[in-house]
Amino acid sequence: MKFKADEIASVIQQEIEDFRGTMETAETGRVLEVGDGIARCYGLSGAMAGEMVEFSSGSRGMVFNLEENSVGIIILGDYLSISEGDEVRTTGSLLSVPVGDEMIGRVIDPLGNPMDGKGPIVSTETRPLETPAPGVAARQPVTQPLQTGIKPVDAMTPIGRGQRELIIGDRKTGKTAIALDTILNQKGGDVVCIYVGCGQRASTMATVVDVLTEHGAMDYSCVIASSSADPAPLQYIAPYAGAALAEYFMYQGKHALVVYDDLSKQAIAYRQLSLLMRRPPGREAFPGDIFYCHSRLLERASKLSDELGGGSMTALPIIETLEGEVSAYIPTNVISITDGQIYLEPDLFFAGVRPAINVGISVSRVGGNAQNKAMKKIAGSLRLDLAAFRELEAFAQLGTELDKATQAQLDRGYRMVEILKQPQYQPLHVADQVISIYAGTNGYFDDVAVADVARVEREMLTFMREQKSEVRNALIEKAELDDEMVEQLQAALEEFKVQLAAGSSDDAGEGETEDAPAVAEEAPAAADATAEEPAAEAASAEEPAAEEAADGASAEEDQ
């Protein structure tokens, strides 16, 4: 068999071209030391900051420190499988996480691995863990409301799509509850929700997943879990993974809500990594760039311009304070980065005011621009009224007598506090919130006992939904309280007030009817007593002291 020279030449040329196409270049190095979730390696002189590297054991890491003679790497996963002298190689790409619609309804770790036992996640797209935040020209003003379903938040500290609203307070004051209610309130809407648990107890995150599943919220949510048992590198990157997933939906023109619970734990994890890498410590032993660590995360939340699709990413970072110390390092950092804060006060929480929002120092820097117009109209003076009520309440505790106008203001304040209370996991539609607050601020609850306000409010909302649905639907459609809407609302509330009064009188009538048989039964006894009057008189004559004692006892019972 004879070979043709031109055929051989073409085959060799084709093989060379294919070889060039598949050739990969990677820089390799060796592990100098490893421990506590970090590794120091030499030989990676061309490594980039934030680049993903692979160890011979299969674990992945991220370049964290670039030093003169070595590279500091944080290990994402089990660092116990890595030992001194192992090979490590660069990948030429930044650390990325899988994203896509496949993540919805799943519980994953910060690297995108499933943790819910529902099988593997087949995702074809990835996004870098960290990307530059949109510039000024790529954004538009925040004007579209993100309803939380929580009356005091939507009325006094409204949140807009694309805003960053901090939830801050001591432990066990209801911070996560506000975030979860906000997620539950997006049911049936167009917002994709991402909950990032960072440094939380595993049992706490299991409870969060159960609550979201029970209320049907996992259909539009994803949970990224990094518990306190996970290594510090995973706790550090968890919020960035949540931001990357939220950005995927934002750049598709959709709306995303991401909850970081909580950034205090992430700051502690970052401090641990920095100290292990021997970065110089600063205030409270945090590294000097801890502010940048949080600012570059939260700056990614924005409302994109219409040219880029008009999508939005709303961030609700949570910060835990110690003994209400909002002037500590991390709280002041995040307060200065965000567009407002919701401050939860332990004293209010333990007094039964839940959500325990301190309206004095809670603020939204977007404010009425991103608020339902009807809510904006009725809630305008609510914050000032509540602040004045708190001052009057403190004054009234001194025991001084108050004039009628001041007492009336105090009484209405107590009722408004009751109206603004709300059970957990029961977010309200914005129309129901408007009706409740309008009724409270216009005196429709003034005749109701403070203890009965919550019950009467529930009955009023049921009445509006079932008997006056046309008024409620008109309020939902208009989303504004014009003169015609106010007249319809007042007429409906007056009708409810009449029904409530009629119901109260019926209850009183039933009580009197129940007392009647007792009176009838007393009549024969009275006749018997009359028949035995001589004996009774003799007994009373003999025992006057006993009679006086009996009279005294009956007087005490009456009191």
PDB file of all heavy atoms in Angstrom, residues 386-420:
ATOM      1  N   LEU A 386     -46.968  59.299  66.471  1.00  0.00           N
ATOM      2  CA  LEU A 386     -46.468  58.263  67.379  1.00  0.00           C
ATOM      3  C   LEU A 386     -45.348  58.796  68.265  1.00  0.00           C
ATOM      4  O   LEU A 386     -45.270  58.452  69.453  1.00  0.00           O
ATOM      5  CB  LEU A 386     -45.984  57.049  66.586  1.00  0.00           C
ATOM      6  CG  LEU A 386     -47.084  56.112  66.074  1.00  0.00           C
ATOM      7  CD1 LEU A 386     -46.488  55.052  65.169  1.00  0.00           C
ATOM      8  CD2 LEU A 386     -47.823  55.455  67.220  1.00  0.00           C
ATOM      9  N   ALA A 387     -44.472  59.635  67.700  1.00  0.00           N
ATOM     10  CA  ALA A 387     -43.400  60.218  68.494  1.00  0.00           C
ATOM     11  C   ALA A 387     -43.980  61.112  69.589  1.00  0.00           C
ATOM     12  O   ALA A 387     -43.525  61.078  70.747  1.00  0.00           O
ATOM     13  CB  ALA A 387     -42.449  61.007  67.598  1.00  0.00           C
ATOM     14  N   ALA A 388     -45.007  61.910  69.241  1.00  0.00           N
ATOM     15  CA  ALA A 388     -45.662  62.765  70.242  1.00  0.00           C
ATOM     16  C   ALA A 388     -46.344  61.917  71.313  1.00  0.00           C
ATOM     17  O   ALA A 388     -46.323  62.261  72.502  1.00  0.00           O
ATOM     18  CB  ALA A 388     -46.677  63.672  69.561  1.00  0.00           C
ATOM     19  N   PHE A 389     -46.931  60.800  70.889  1.00  0.00           N
ATOM     20  CA  PHE A 389     -47.582  59.897  71.856  1.00  0.00           C
ATOM     21  C   PHE A 389     -46.571  59.333  72.845  1.00  0.00           C
ATOM     22  O   PHE A 389     -46.851  59.255  74.049  1.00  0.00           O
ATOM     23  CB  PHE A 389     -48.291  58.765  71.103  1.00  0.00           C
ATOM     24  CG  PHE A 389     -48.571  57.561  71.954  1.00  0.00           C
ATOM     25  CD1 PHE A 389     -49.535  57.605  72.947  1.00  0.00           C
ATOM     26  CD2 PHE A 389     -47.865  56.376  71.776  1.00  0.00           C
ATOM     27  CE1 PHE A 389     -49.783  56.504  73.751  1.00  0.00           C
ATOM     28  CE2 PHE A 389     -48.107  55.273  72.567  1.00  0.00           C
ATOM     29  CZ  PHE A 389     -49.073  55.338  73.560  1.00  0.00           C
ATOM     30  N   ARG A 390     -45.397  58.941  72.367  1.00  0.00           N
ATOM     31  CA  ARG A 390     -44.380  58.390  73.269  1.00  0.00           C
ATOM     32  C   ARG A 390     -43.957  59.435  74.310  1.00  0.00           C
ATOM     33  O   ARG A 390     -43.750  59.113  75.483  1.00  0.00           O
ATOM     34  CB  ARG A 390     -43.159  57.921  72.467  1.00  0.00           C
ATOM     35  CG  ARG A 390     -43.389  56.694  71.606  1.00  0.00           C
ATOM     36  CD  ARG A 390     -43.715  55.479  72.419  1.00  0.00           C
ATOM     37  NE  ARG A 390     -43.982  54.297  71.591  1.00  0.00           N
ATOM     38  CZ  ARG A 390     -44.586  53.216  72.016  1.00  0.00           C
ATOM     39  NH1 ARG A 390     -45.008  53.148  73.272  1.00  0.00           N
ATOM     40  NH2 ARG A 390     -44.802  52.187  71.228  1.00  0.00           N
ATOM     41  N   GLU A 391     -43.847  60.702  73.896  1.00  0.00           N
ATOM     42  CA  GLU A 391     -43.486  61.752  74.845  1.00  0.00           C
ATOM     43  C   GLU A 391     -44.600  61.958  75.866  1.00  0.00           C
ATOM     44  O   GLU A 391     -44.351  62.101  77.065  1.00  0.00           O
ATOM     45  CB  GLU A 391     -43.201  63.058  74.097  1.00  0.00           C
ATOM     46  CG  GLU A 391     -41.896  63.041  73.304  1.00  0.00           C
ATOM     47  CD  GLU A 391     -41.593  64.381  72.670  1.00  0.00           C
ATOM     48  OE1 GLU A 391     -42.319  65.351  72.967  1.00  0.00           O
ATOM     49  OE2 GLU A 391     -40.647  64.458  71.875  1.00  0.00           O
ATOM     50  N   LEU A 392     -45.849  61.976  75.388  1.00  0.00           N
ATOM     51  CA  LEU A 392     -46.992  62.146  76.296  1.00  0.00           C
ATOM     52  C   LEU A 392     -47.080  60.976  77.274  1.00  0.00           C
ATOM     53  O   LEU A 392     -47.399  61.172  78.457  1.00  0.00           O
ATOM     54  CB  LEU A 392     -48.294  62.222  75.491  1.00  0.00           C
ATOM     55  CG  LEU A 392     -48.678  63.589  74.924  1.00  0.00           C
ATOM     56  CD1 LEU A 392     -49.963  63.476  74.139  1.00  0.00           C
ATOM     57  CD2 LEU A 392     -48.850  64.598  76.054  1.00  0.00           C
ATOM     58  N   GLU A 393     -46.799  59.772  76.763  1.00  0.00           N
ATOM     59  CA  GLU A 393     -46.866  58.585  77.609  1.00  0.00           C
ATOM     60  C   GLU A 393     -45.863  58.697  78.753  1.00  0.00           C
ATOM     61  O   GLU A 393     -46.172  58.386  79.913  1.00  0.00           O
ATOM     62  CB  GLU A 393     -46.596  57.338  76.768  1.00  0.00           C
ATOM     63  CG  GLU A 393     -46.794  56.034  77.512  1.00  0.00           C
ATOM     64  CD  GLU A 393     -46.430  54.837  76.648  1.00  0.00           C
ATOM     65  OE1 GLU A 393     -45.574  54.990  75.749  1.00  0.00           O
ATOM     66  OE2 GLU A 393     -46.987  53.753  76.883  1.00  0.00           O
ATOM     67  N   ALA A 394     -44.657  59.141  78.417  1.00  0.00           N
ATOM     68  CA  ALA A 394     -43.637  59.313  79.460  1.00  0.00           C
ATOM     69  C   ALA A 394     -44.058  60.388  80.457  1.00  0.00           C
ATOM     70  O   ALA A 394     -43.851  60.258  81.673  1.00  0.00           O
ATOM     71  CB  ALA A 394     -42.301  59.684  78.810  1.00  0.00           C
ATOM     72  N   PHE A 395     -44.706  61.452  79.958  1.00  0.00           N
ATOM     73  CA  PHE A 395     -45.166  62.536  80.835  1.00  0.00           C
ATOM     74  C   PHE A 395     -46.298  62.062  81.743  1.00  0.00           C
ATOM     75  O   PHE A 395     -46.365  62.411  82.926  1.00  0.00           O
ATOM     76  CB  PHE A 395     -45.619  63.715  79.972  1.00  0.00           C
ATOM     77  CG  PHE A 395     -46.088  64.909  80.763  1.00  0.00           C
ATOM     78  CD1 PHE A 395     -45.180  65.660  81.496  1.00  0.00           C
ATOM     79  CD2 PHE A 395     -47.429  65.286  80.779  1.00  0.00           C
ATOM     80  CE1 PHE A 395     -45.600  66.764  82.222  1.00  0.00           C
ATOM     81  CE2 PHE A 395     -47.845  66.385  81.505  1.00  0.00           C
ATOM     82  CZ  PHE A 395     -46.936  67.129  82.228  1.00  0.00           C
ATOM     83  N   ALA A 396     -47.203  61.244  81.175  1.00  0.00           N
ATOM     84  CA  ALA A 396     -48.359  60.771  81.937  1.00  0.00           C
ATOM     85  C   ALA A 396     -47.943  59.833  83.070  1.00  0.00           C
ATOM     86  O   ALA A 396     -48.665  59.698  84.062  1.00  0.00           O
ATOM     87  CB  ALA A 396     -49.343  60.067  81.009  1.00  0.00           C
ATOM     88  N   GLN A 397     -46.790  59.181  82.918  1.00  0.00           N
ATOM     89  CA  GLN A 397     -46.340  58.261  83.958  1.00  0.00           C
ATOM     90  C   GLN A 397     -45.946  58.989  85.242  1.00  0.00           C
ATOM     91  O   GLN A 397     -45.803  58.367  86.290  1.00  0.00           O
ATOM     92  CB  GLN A 397     -45.149  57.439  83.453  1.00  0.00           C
ATOM     93  CG  GLN A 397     -45.560  56.375  82.438  1.00  0.00           C
ATOM     94  CD  GLN A 397     -44.367  55.640  81.853  1.00  0.00           C
ATOM     95  OE1 GLN A 397     -43.227  56.053  82.040  1.00  0.00           O
ATOM     96  NE2 GLN A 397     -44.623  54.554  81.164  1.00  0.00           N
ATOM     97  N   LEU A 398     -45.798  60.319  85.163  1.00  0.00           N
ATOM     98  CA  LEU A 398     -45.454  61.087  86.356  1.00  0.00           C
ATOM     99  C   LEU A 398     -46.657  61.247  87.277  1.00  0.00           C
ATOM    100  O   LEU A 398     -46.510  61.726  88.405  1.00  0.00           O
ATOM    101  CB  LEU A 398     -44.925  62.474  85.951  1.00  0.00           C
ATOM    102  CG  LEU A 398     -43.654  62.479  85.079  1.00  0.00           C
ATOM    103  CD1 LEU A 398     -43.314  63.892  84.646  1.00  0.00           C
ATOM    104  CD2 LEU A 398     -42.493  61.874  85.851  1.00  0.00           C
ATOM    105  N   GLY A 399     -47.841  60.874  86.783  1.00  0.00           N
ATOM    106  CA  GLY A 399     -49.041  60.922  87.617  1.00  0.00           C
ATOM    107  C   GLY A 399     -49.755  62.252  87.590  1.00  0.00           C
ATOM    108  O   GLY A 399     -50.668  62.490  88.390  1.00  0.00           O
ATOM    109  N   THR A 400     -49.388  63.163  86.688  1.00  0.00           N
ATOM    110  CA  THR A 400     -50.050  64.458  86.611  1.00  0.00           C
ATOM    111  C   THR A 400     -51.395  64.327  85.911  1.00  0.00           C
ATOM    112  O   THR A 400     -51.581  63.459  85.061  1.00  0.00           O
ATOM    113  CB  THR A 400     -49.173  65.458  85.835  1.00  0.00           C
ATOM    114  OG1 THR A 400     -48.828  64.878  84.570  1.00  0.00           O
ATOM    115  CG2 THR A 400     -47.897  65.762  86.602  1.00  0.00           C
ATOM    116  N   GLU A 401     -52.337  65.219  86.263  1.00  0.00           N
ATOM    117  CA  GLU A 401     -53.643  65.208  85.619  1.00  0.00           C
ATOM    118  C   GLU A 401     -53.533  65.867  84.261  1.00  0.00           C
ATOM    119  O   GLU A 401     -52.865  66.883  84.085  1.00  0.00           O
ATOM    120  CB  GLU A 401     -54.657  65.950  86.492  1.00  0.00           C
ATOM    121  CG  GLU A 401     -55.011  65.194  87.773  1.00  0.00           C
ATOM    122  CD  GLU A 401     -56.202  65.807  88.476  1.00  0.00           C
ATOM    123  OE1 GLU A 401     -56.869  66.648  87.853  1.00  0.00           O
ATOM    124  OE2 GLU A 401     -56.454  65.447  89.631  1.00  0.00           O
ATOM    125  N   LEU A 402     -54.237  65.283  83.286  1.00  0.00           N
ATOM    126  CA  LEU A 402     -54.159  65.767  81.907  1.00  0.00           C
ATOM    127  C   LEU A 402     -55.488  66.383  81.503  1.00  0.00           C
ATOM    128  O   LEU A 402     -56.557  65.928  81.946  1.00  0.00           O
ATOM    129  CB  LEU A 402     -53.805  64.612  80.966  1.00  0.00           C
ATOM    130  CG  LEU A 402     -52.522  63.845  81.281  1.00  0.00           C
ATOM    131  CD1 LEU A 402     -52.414  62.614  80.395  1.00  0.00           C
ATOM    132  CD2 LEU A 402     -51.303  64.732  81.097  1.00  0.00           C
ATOM    133  N   ASP A 403     -55.423  67.397  80.643  1.00  0.00           N
ATOM    134  CA  ASP A 403     -56.673  67.964  80.128  1.00  0.00           C
ATOM    135  C   ASP A 403     -57.294  67.004  79.116  1.00  0.00           C
ATOM    136  O   ASP A 403     -56.667  66.037  78.684  1.00  0.00           O
ATOM    137  CB  ASP A 403     -56.404  69.335  79.489  1.00  0.00           C
ATOM    138  CG  ASP A 403     -55.414  69.227  78.345  1.00  0.00           C
ATOM    139  OD1 ASP A 403     -54.181  69.270  78.620  1.00  0.00           O
ATOM    140  OD2 ASP A 403     -55.852  69.059  77.202  1.00  0.00           O
ATOM    141  N   LYS A 404     -58.538  67.287  78.721  1.00  0.00           N
ATOM    142  CA  LYS A 404     -59.298  66.353  77.880  1.00  0.00           C
ATOM    143  C   LYS A 404     -58.614  66.119  76.536  1.00  0.00           C
ATOM    144  O   LYS A 404     -58.555  64.999  76.034  1.00  0.00           O
ATOM    145  CB  LYS A 404     -60.717  66.878  77.665  1.00  0.00           C
ATOM    146  CG  LYS A 404     -61.607  66.725  78.884  1.00  0.00           C
ATOM    147  CD  LYS A 404     -63.035  67.118  78.557  1.00  0.00           C
ATOM    148  CE  LYS A 404     -63.941  66.912  79.785  1.00  0.00           C
ATOM    149  NZ  LYS A 404     -65.343  67.302  79.476  1.00  0.00           N
ATOM    150  N   ALA A 405     -58.114  67.177  75.908  1.00  0.00           N
ATOM    151  CA  ALA A 405     -57.490  67.040  74.583  1.00  0.00           C
ATOM    152  C   ALA A 405     -56.238  66.156  74.662  1.00  0.00           C
ATOM    153  O   ALA A 405     -56.017  65.278  73.818  1.00  0.00           O
ATOM    154  CB  ALA A 405     -57.130  68.417  74.031  1.00  0.00           C
ATOM    155  N   THR A 406     -55.427  66.375  75.698  1.00  0.00           N
ATOM    156  CA  THR A 406     -54.209  65.570  75.857  1.00  0.00           C
ATOM    157  C   THR A 406     -54.559  64.119  76.137  1.00  0.00           C
ATOM    158  O   THR A 406     -53.940  63.195  75.599  1.00  0.00           O
ATOM    159  CB  THR A 406     -53.345  66.138  76.993  1.00  0.00           C
ATOM    160  OG1 THR A 406     -53.111  67.525  76.757  1.00  0.00           O
ATOM    161  CG2 THR A 406     -52.016  65.413  77.083  1.00  0.00           C
ATOM    162  N   GLN A 407     -55.592  63.904  76.983  1.00  0.00           N
ATOM    163  CA  GLN A 407     -56.013  62.541  77.295  1.00  0.00           C
ATOM    164  C   GLN A 407     -56.541  61.840  76.050  1.00  0.00           C
ATOM    165  O   GLN A 407     -56.272  60.650  75.832  1.00  0.00           O
ATOM    166  CB  GLN A 407     -57.086  62.565  78.388  1.00  0.00           C
ATOM    167  CG  GLN A 407     -57.459  61.192  78.919  1.00  0.00           C
ATOM    168  CD  GLN A 407     -56.291  60.487  79.585  1.00  0.00           C
ATOM    169  OE1 GLN A 407     -55.610  61.069  80.421  1.00  0.00           O
ATOM    170  NE2 GLN A 407     -56.050  59.240  79.217  1.00  0.00           N
ATOM    171  N   ALA A 408     -57.277  62.593  75.220  1.00  0.00           N
ATOM    172  CA  ALA A 408     -57.803  62.010  73.976  1.00  0.00           C
ATOM    173  C   ALA A 408     -56.661  61.623  73.040  1.00  0.00           C
ATOM    174  O   ALA A 408     -56.697  60.563  72.403  1.00  0.00           O
ATOM    175  CB  ALA A 408     -58.742  63.005  73.293  1.00  0.00           C
ATOM    176  N   GLN A 409     -55.630  62.473  72.960  1.00  0.00           N
ATOM    177  CA  GLN A 409     -54.467  62.162  72.118  1.00  0.00           C
ATOM    178  C   GLN A 409     -53.744  60.924  72.641  1.00  0.00           C
ATOM    179  O   GLN A 409     -53.298  60.071  71.863  1.00  0.00           O
ATOM    180  CB  GLN A 409     -53.521  63.362  72.097  1.00  0.00           C
ATOM    181  CG  GLN A 409     -52.360  63.202  71.115  1.00  0.00           C
ATOM    182  CD  GLN A 409     -51.439  64.420  71.106  1.00  0.00           C
ATOM    183  OE1 GLN A 409     -51.694  65.403  71.817  1.00  0.00           O
ATOM    184  NE2 GLN A 409     -50.373  64.358  70.330  1.00  0.00           N
ATOM    185  N   LEU A 410     -53.647  60.829  73.953  1.00  0.00           N
ATOM    186  CA  LEU A 410     -52.997  59.671  74.571  1.00  0.00           C
ATOM    187  C   LEU A 410     -53.785  58.393  74.292  1.00  0.00           C
ATOM    188  O   LEU A 410     -53.208  57.348  73.929  1.00  0.00           O
ATOM    189  CB  LEU A 410     -52.867  59.905  76.077  1.00  0.00           C
ATOM    190  CG  LEU A 410     -51.850  59.071  76.860  1.00  0.00           C
ATOM    191  CD1 LEU A 410     -50.452  59.285  76.311  1.00  0.00           C
ATOM    192  CD2 LEU A 410     -51.901  59.426  78.338  1.00  0.00           C
ATOM    193  N   ASP A 411     -55.108  58.474  74.424  1.00  0.00           N
ATOM    194  CA  ASP A 411     -55.960  57.297  74.178  1.00  0.00           C
ATOM    195  C   ASP A 411     -55.851  56.835  72.731  1.00  0.00           C
ATOM    196  O   ASP A 411     -55.779  55.638  72.457  1.00  0.00           O
ATOM    197  CB  ASP A 411     -57.415  57.625  74.522  1.00  0.00           C
ATOM    198  CG  ASP A 411     -57.627  57.820  76.027  1.00  0.00           C
ATOM    199  OD1 ASP A 411     -56.748  57.368  76.782  1.00  0.00           O
ATOM    200  OD2 ASP A 411     -58.637  58.424  76.405  1.00  0.00           O
ATOM    201  N   ARG A 412     -55.855  57.792  71.806  1.00  0.00           N
ATOM    202  CA  ARG A 412     -55.739  57.406  70.391  1.00  0.00           C
ATOM    203  C   ARG A 412     -54.362  56.810  70.111  1.00  0.00           C
ATOM    204  O   ARG A 412     -54.236  55.881  69.318  1.00  0.00           O
ATOM    205  CB  ARG A 412     -55.989  58.603  69.482  1.00  0.00           C
ATOM    206  CG  ARG A 412     -55.923  58.229  68.004  1.00  0.00           C
ATOM    207  CD  ARG A 412     -56.375  59.347  67.092  1.00  0.00           C
ATOM    208  NE  ARG A 412     -57.806  59.591  67.211  1.00  0.00           N
ATOM    209  CZ  ARG A 412     -58.477  60.474  66.462  1.00  0.00           C
ATOM    210  NH1 ARG A 412     -57.833  61.184  65.549  1.00  0.00           N
ATOM    211  NH2 ARG A 412     -59.760  60.641  66.622  1.00  0.00           N
ATOM    212  N   GLY A 413     -53.330  57.318  70.768  1.00  0.00           N
ATOM    213  CA  GLY A 413     -51.982  56.764  70.605  1.00  0.00           C
ATOM    214  C   GLY A 413     -51.921  55.309  71.021  1.00  0.00           C
ATOM    215  O   GLY A 413     -51.323  54.476  70.328  1.00  0.00           O
ATOM    216  N   TYR A 414     -52.555  54.982  72.160  1.00  0.00           N
ATOM    217  CA  TYR A 414     -52.583  53.586  72.604  1.00  0.00           C
ATOM    218  C   TYR A 414     -53.253  52.700  71.553  1.00  0.00           C
ATOM    219  O   TYR A 414     -52.812  51.577  71.294  1.00  0.00           O
ATOM    220  CB  TYR A 414     -53.336  53.461  73.927  1.00  0.00           C
ATOM    221  CG  TYR A 414     -52.554  53.913  75.136  1.00  0.00           C
ATOM    222  CD1 TYR A 414     -53.011  54.941  75.958  1.00  0.00           C
ATOM    223  CD2 TYR A 414     -51.338  53.307  75.467  1.00  0.00           C
ATOM    224  CE1 TYR A 414     -52.285  55.361  77.068  1.00  0.00           C
ATOM    225  CE2 TYR A 414     -50.605  53.718  76.579  1.00  0.00           C
ATOM    226  CZ  TYR A 414     -51.088  54.746  77.368  1.00  0.00           C
ATOM    227  OH  TYR A 414     -50.354  55.154  78.459  1.00  0.00           O
ATOM    228  N   ARG A 415     -54.303  53.202  70.949  1.00  0.00           N
ATOM    229  CA  ARG A 415     -55.036  52.411  69.943  1.00  0.00           C
ATOM    230  C   ARG A 415     -54.238  52.273  68.650  1.00  0.00           C
ATOM    231  O   ARG A 415     -54.266  51.222  68.004  1.00  0.00           O
ATOM    232  CB  ARG A 415     -56.412  53.038  69.684  1.00  0.00           C
ATOM    233  CG  ARG A 415     -57.389  52.757  70.827  1.00  0.00           C
ATOM    234  CD  ARG A 415     -58.543  53.755  70.907  1.00  0.00           C
ATOM    235  NE  ARG A 415     -59.448  53.395  72.003  1.00  0.00           N
ATOM    236  CZ  ARG A 415     -59.196  53.675  73.284  1.00  0.00           C
ATOM    237  NH1 ARG A 415     -58.084  54.299  73.631  1.00  0.00           N
ATOM    238  NH2 ARG A 415     -60.058  53.318  74.227  1.00  0.00           N
ATOM    239  N   MET A 416     -53.489  53.332  68.283  1.00  0.00           N
ATOM    240  CA  MET A 416     -52.664  53.231  67.073  1.00  0.00           C
ATOM    241  C   MET A 416     -51.529  52.219  67.263  1.00  0.00           C
ATOM    242  O   MET A 416     -51.172  51.481  66.345  1.00  0.00           O
ATOM    243  CB  MET A 416     -52.076  54.598  66.713  1.00  0.00           C
ATOM    244  CG  MET A 416     -53.060  55.555  66.069  1.00  0.00           C
ATOM    245  SD  MET A 416     -53.960  54.868  64.665  1.00  0.00           S
ATOM    246  CE  MET A 416     -52.621  54.413  63.576  1.00  0.00           C
ATOM    247  N   VAL A 417     -50.978  52.173  68.487  1.00  0.00           N
ATOM    248  CA  VAL A 417     -49.934  51.175  68.767  1.00  0.00           C
ATOM    249  C   VAL A 417     -50.510  49.773  68.601  1.00  0.00           C
ATOM    250  O   VAL A 417     -49.863  48.878  68.039  1.00  0.00           O
ATOM    251  CB  VAL A 417     -49.366  51.376  70.186  1.00  0.00           C
ATOM    252  CG1 VAL A 417     -48.489  50.193  70.586  1.00  0.00           C
ATOM    253  CG2 VAL A 417     -48.547  52.659  70.250  1.00  0.00           C
ATOM    254  N   GLU A 418     -51.739  49.575  69.059  1.00  0.00           N
ATOM    255  CA  GLU A 418     -52.388  48.263  68.920  1.00  0.00           C
ATOM    256  C   GLU A 418     -52.634  47.936  67.450  1.00  0.00           C
ATOM    257  O   GLU A 418     -52.463  46.795  67.015  1.00  0.00           O
ATOM    258  CB  GLU A 418     -53.723  48.238  69.687  1.00  0.00           C
ATOM    259  CG  GLU A 418     -53.572  48.234  71.194  1.00  0.00           C
ATOM    260  CD  GLU A 418     -52.880  46.980  71.699  1.00  0.00           C
ATOM    261  OE1 GLU A 418     -53.210  45.875  71.223  1.00  0.00           O
ATOM    262  OE2 GLU A 418     -51.997  47.108  72.563  1.00  0.00           O
ATOM    263  N   ILE A 419     -53.041  48.943  66.663  1.00  0.00           N
ATOM    264  CA  ILE A 419     -53.318  48.712  65.236  1.00  0.00           C
ATOM    265  C   ILE A 419     -52.042  48.320  64.499  1.00  0.00           C
ATOM    266  O   ILE A 419     -52.062  47.483  63.588  1.00  0.00           O
ATOM    267  CB  ILE A 419     -53.955  49.979  64.611  1.00  0.00           C
ATOM    268  CG1 ILE A 419     -55.386  50.149  65.120  1.00  0.00           C
ATOM    269  CG2 ILE A 419     -53.941  49.904  63.082  1.00  0.00           C
ATOM    270  CD1 ILE A 419     -56.031  51.453  64.715  1.00  0.00           C
ATOM    271  N   LEU A 420     -50.911  48.915  64.890  1.00  0.00           N
ATOM    272  CA  LEU A 420     -49.650  48.642  64.193  1.00  0.00           C
ATOM    273  C   LEU A 420     -49.009  47.319  64.609  1.00  0.00           C
ATOM    274  O   LEU A 420     -48.029  46.900  64.014  1.00  0.00           O
ATOM    275  CB  LEU A 420     -48.657  49.792  64.423  1.00  0.00           C
ATOM    276  CG  LEU A 420     -49.041  51.117  63.745  1.00  0.00           C
ATOM    277  CD1 LEU A 420     -48.063  52.206  64.124  1.00  0.00           C
ATOM    278  CD2 LEU A 420     -49.108  50.964  62.235  1.00  0.00           C
TER     279      LEU A 420
END
